[in-house]
Amino acid sequence: MGKVKVENIRAYAHHGCLKEETAIGSEYRVDVSVDADISKAAVSDKLSDTVDYVLINHIVKEEMKTPSKLLEHVGHRIIKRIFNEIPIVTAAAVWVSKINPPIGGDVEKVTVVLEEKRIL
């Protein structure tokens, strides 16, 4: 078993409950960690035997383009796509962060963390 992490994926997106958030948009950061049996790839040196982190980045970028009210919804969509498109992934964790959220204070970011295991 092993982990593949893709960290600090940056995107400009239009998520939020406020009308202004969906109209103006803001900066986001997404981090992904997946568990998979990557022992075969360690021996074979073949991309087809491991988790393609380029595909993870692509999934995140595509899902961030679809507006949602809640970061939880975006994170859930990302995890579902990972499970659908990368069969060797057994568990996934996604951190979705909104940078400089409009919450009336000096806050760097808010982050929602979702962790799911593949249902067999």
Side-chain angles (χ1 to χ4, degrees):
M1 206 43 93
K3 285 190 183 298
V4 173
K5 295 181 179 182
V6 183
E7 299 177 308
N8 201 20
I9 302 167
R10 292 174 297 279
Y12 194 86
H14 299 269
H15 307 301
C17 293
L18 302 175
K19 195 174 190 178
E20 296 80 16
E21 290 178 294
T22 56
I24 298 168
S26 60
E27 295 287 333
Y28 291 83
R29 173 185 165 168
V30 180
D31 300 295
V32 177
S33 176
V34 297
D35 294 344
D37 183 355
I38 56 176
S39 59
K40 186 175 178 182
V43 175
S44 73
D45 198 27
K46 293 181 181 175
L47 179 60
S48 59
D49 292 334
T50 193
V51 175
D52 184 352
Y53 51 79
V54 173
L55 179 55
I56 290 176
N57 183 63
H58 175 74
I59 290 169
V60 168
K61 293 286 193 166
E62 277 196 344
E63 292 304 322
M64 291 300 287
K65 289 179 184 176
T66 303
S68 291
K69 290 180 183 173
L70 301 176
L71 300 180
E72 293 88 340
H73 189 254
V74 179
H76 179 73
R77 288 197 327 259
I78 291 168
I79 288 175
K80 291 304 169 199
R81 288 255 331 255
I82 289 169
F83 285 153
N84 286 336
E85 298 180 32
I86 310 172
I88 69 168
V89 170
T90 58
V94 175
W95 293 256
V96 182
S97 301
K98 181 181 280 193
I99 309 302
N100 296 318
I103 60 175
D106 186 13
V107 177
E108 178 185 346
K109 64 183 175 183
V110 294
T111 303
V112 171
V113 181
L114 288 94
E115 298 179 51
E116 295 185 32
K117 292 184 179 183
R118 183 183 294 278
I119 300 171
L120 301 175

